[in-house]
Amino acid sequence: MPYKEDDQLLDTGQLISQDVPPGVDRRDFLIRSAVGGAAAVMMGRVVSADARTAMAVATLPPQAKGSPPPLSNDLNVVKKGQGPVLTTVDEFYKVGPGPSSSHTIGPMRITYDFYQRAIKLPADQLAKATALRVNLFGSLSATGKGHGTERAALAGLVGKEPATVDPKFLDSLRDKPDQVFPVKLGDKSINVSLKDVIYDATKGDFKHPNTMTVKLLAGNTVLLEQEYYSVGGGFIEWKGYTPPKKNAPKYPFRTMKELRTHADSNKISIAKVMLANEMSIAGKSEADVYAFIDKIINAMVATVKSGLSMPEDDVLPGPIKLHSKAATVYKHAMDDKFQADRGIGALSAFALAASEENGRGHLVITAPTGGSAGVMPSLVYGLLEVRKLPLEKVRDGMLAAAAVGYLCKHHATLSAAEGGCQAEIGVASSMAAALTATAYDAPSLVVENAAESALEHHLGMTCDPVAGYVQVPCIERCAFGAVKAWTAYAIASNEIASRHRISFDETVLALAQTAKEMNSKYKETSEAGLALSVVLC
Ligand code: SF4
């Protein structure tokens, strides 16, 4: 029987309400919506999309236990995907103490920010101050102890900043937790200690899984209070946050497709599009942008060197008693008789070295986070120190890598508490693939394909750090992320680029969707996966 033009069965999209309401399970919703639509067609009735949505929602089972509350729509980190990408390299690549950008760098920036606000209060109010109090919620509370969040928060209160804090100061807080520090507030000085940082509720209706509050108290009276969110990669927001005003980018883009169109139609590389945008958004000169990138490249090289120089029997801090292995893997890799095996072994050792530095709480670079801090340095070190590529090529690679990270932040997340490990190691690997392809002068489509491939093969990866420490699986995972980045570049530069089937933008959408639907037990809460199955003796 021939189909009629208006036959609803011709267009299955008519049967399914495509807009999934917030806060419901997508799969359940789509199944119920489709069944409702199909039943209506069989009965010869036309049901509007709105009616099908209402029907589907009404028949949904209660949300599975463990599903996190949806992120608040007030957060900039949620609204962000709407305009062009405006992130800049100095916001993105941050130097700070490990082991976690969201649990150490973010909280330290938050308490430092609060201190700066507090000292602006009128003198008569400051004279009444008796205490500073920090409350950690959600994932910050669930895994903060393993990350040293309380030490990072205290360091910010006493005026330390992530990029310049001496890691020995943080080590001393771990070794002598009873230390008391005076904090100057106008003419007044009050004492603070680790007792002023409280591990509060792990579950609740928070705007973001990494929520904390900071208060200045006069006895039981609150003189100043602010609620903050550590939204991933060391980025922070607070209640009522509005992003700083920025200049328009020279080449506005929201997607990789638009970014590549700028590059291809102007016959320049993705890196040069990014350079022009950095200059226009931040009002910086080319020399300023490159000076900052050089600082980050040098810090990445230093972190690998420092990790490789540690003794082979070094034991990382924490209850796992994990032995470092970077120096051993490097030494044995260099003895390997096969050149390719030497390469993979060395790349793994560089990643292990930087990641073990993160586990020690030493200074690392967010690219995009602390947990993934071994991936990009491994490739940077390999390209500069082993392959001896010119610095300019690696600088360009850093800009292309930043574009990949910005797009993931813009449309998905860099936070393990929001998206699991795919948002950390997955994004880092994707960035490192773009870095490598760019450093080898690959065309823009190959850069995109390499970044896509590396991200695609991390989709769904959960975050379940053993005992809440960023060591297992994180350290080895950085090595795998680095090797996968190289594999992604190897495939992308050897395939016929135009035949690559999946676009980077499609994979970023998959990252965002997978992040939303991942059970909260696998989002940096150490409630499942390896964190549950590994027994520490
Ligand atoms: S498992 Fe991945 S996301 Fe989780 S802390 Fe480790 S590196 Fe970060």
Side-chain angles (χ1 to χ4, degrees), residues 99-164:
S100 162
S101 46
S102 57
H103 286 56
T104 47
I105 297 176
M108 196 185 297
R109 292 186 65 208
I110 282 170
T111 47
Y112 184 81
D113 177 86
F114 185 82
Y115 174 71
Q116 301 301 320
R117 292 172 194 237
I119 54 177
K120 294 194 183 91
L121 285 178
D124 59 326
Q125 293 223 37
L126 289 177
K128 295 185 207 151
T130 55
L132 280 155
R133 182 77 23 90
V134 180
N135 290 66
L136 305 169
F137 299 97
S139 170
L140 290 180
S141 178
T143 59
K145 284 200 179 104
H147 293 79
T149 304
E150 79 283 14
R151 300 192 291 274
L154 181 64
L157 278 186
V158 301
K160 310 275 183 201
E161 287 188 272
T164 50

Side-chain angles (χ1 to χ4, degrees), residues 147 369 371-372 416 420-422 424-425 461-465 469-474 477-478 524:
H147 293 79
T369 62
S372 60
C421 199
Q422 52 175 356
E424 289 205 13
I425 304 276
M461 200 159 73
T462 57
C463 169
D464 47 4
Y469 278 72
V470 189
Q471 295 179 6
V472 180
C474 323
R477 202 165 268 184
C478 280
E524 211 173 7

